[in-house]
Amino acid sequence: MIARVVVVPAVLIVWELATRAMAHPFFPPPSVIVAHMRELWFTGSPARLWLNDTALANFPPSLGRLLAGWAVSGVAGVALGVALGRSPLLYRLLDPAIQFGRALPPPALLPMMLALFSTGARMQIAVITFGIVWPVLFNAADGARHVDPLHLDTARVFGLSRGRRLFRVILPAAAPKIFAGLRLSLSLALILMVIAEFFSTEGIGFQLRAAQRAFDLPGVWGAIVLLGVLGYSLNQGFLFLERHILTWHDSAQDNRS
């Protein structure tokens, strides 16, 4: 913990000194980036967490689209993944189509998504969903495929229906794999959110693109830093949730034993 506290200021100091020594216009010092970020987004009142009108017009839509795409891909990926993991026949039938879809780079599908949904939230959510569903699907399938047969036999002996076996045996056993897929997809969702918002009129990705076009280099770096902080925060929040849910699940399993 102490090492983490020390490393961040040390990196910032080295970054500041190195960029000031270079005096390169494409690499502004962190102090300049932070000052520009404050000017762009954080001049609001404390009641609004210092977010100004520009931040409130761009940050919530980005987060909303990111989380919406992640949620849709999570539900679809878990449902289809568990079905594939428990049905070898269904897996053999759908595997070619799934492998083909998995190999398609989401940015290459942007023209098709624009033609289907035009610009706006639906197109962006579709791009995010299509691009991140695969880690969830494959991890859910792998977790469901490797459920201990003894647990399933025991559930059948006690007369549990298919639905109850799904929610009481299969999903809990596959939960670690499912959470691993969800965590990976959350990181990918942030990347695809930025790419999709290049074709938007609002959002963090739109602001990054606007700064690039205006040759506002501190603004570009400010958006990159903001995305890094957002990605780190989302990952830490998910890890906190994952630890508590899986710990509670393991405790419940031990109590049943």
Side-chain angles (χ1 to χ4, degrees):
M1 185 63 183
I2 297 176
R4 290 185 180 183
V5 174
V6 172
V7 166
V8 174
V11 170
L12 290 175
I13 291 171
V14 172
W15 184 5
E16 180 78 21
L17 294 175
T19 49
R20 288 195 177 276
M22 289 171 57
H24 197 292
F26 287 96
F27 299 98
S31 57
V32 174
I33 296 171
V34 171
H36 200 69
M37 290 174 67
R38 182 182 181 280
E39 181 183 343
L40 285 175
W41 301 308
F42 301 106
T43 56
S45 65
R48 300 198 301 181
L49 300 177
W50 293 277
L51 298 174
N52 58 22
D53 292 338
T54 302
L56 291 173
N58 289 278
F59 294 178
S62 290
L63 281 172
R65 289 187 283 259
L66 185 153
L67 294 175
W70 182 64
V72 172
S73 69
V75 173
V78 170
L80 183 56
V82 170
L84 292 171
R86 298 309 306 167
S87 173
L89 176 61
L90 184 63
Y91 179 81
R92 287 195 297 271
L93 289 174
L94 296 183
D95 183 58
I98 290 173
Q99 296 297 338
F100 177 79
R102 177 193 187 186
L104 293 175
L109 298 178
L110 280 170
M112 184 187 71
M113 295 294 184
L114 285 167
L116 290 174
F117 303 107
S118 185
T119 58
R122 287 195 305 166
M123 182 276 288
Q124 292 151 18
I125 292 172
V127 170
I128 294 170
T129 301
F130 180 85
I132 69 174
V133 70
W134 311 109
V136 185
L137 189 154
F138 284 106
N139 276 274
D142 188 56
R145 189 179 299 115
H146 293 96
V147 176
D148 190 340
L150 180 61
H151 293 171
L152 291 172
D153 292 340
T154 303
R156 291 190 189 95
V157 168
F158 279 96
L160 269 66
S161 64
R162 286 189 176 183
R164 295 187 68 187
R165 290 201 300 270
L166 173 65
F167 288 100
R168 298 289 296 274
V169 180
I170 297 173
L171 285 178
K177 285 280 190 177
I178 291 172
F179 272 94
L182 288 171
R183 186 169 67 250
L184 178 58
S185 68
L186 187 59
S187 301
L188 295 174
L190 183 65
I191 298 170
L192 292 176
M193 177 202 78
V194 174
I195 295 173
E197 286 182 347
F198 282 173
F199 299 88
S200 177
T201 57
E202 61 182 6
I204 301 172
F206 164 74
Q207 290 208 299
L208 174 60
R209 183 64 171 162
Q212 288 176 334
R213 288 177 173 174
F215 296 98
D216 177 12
L217 297 175
V220 171
W221 278 97
I224 292 171
V225 170
L226 179 66
L227 289 167
V229 172
L230 178 59
Y232 178 80
S233 301
L234 289 172
N235 185 65
Q236 291 300 114
F238 184 85
L239 286 175
F240 176 83
L241 183 66
E242 179 184 11
R243 280 195 298 268
H244 280 70
I245 291 178
L246 293 183
T247 300
W248 171 83
H249 166 257
D250 292 341
S251 301
Q253 293 289 97
D254 292 340
N255 291 335
R256 289 196 193 102
S257 300

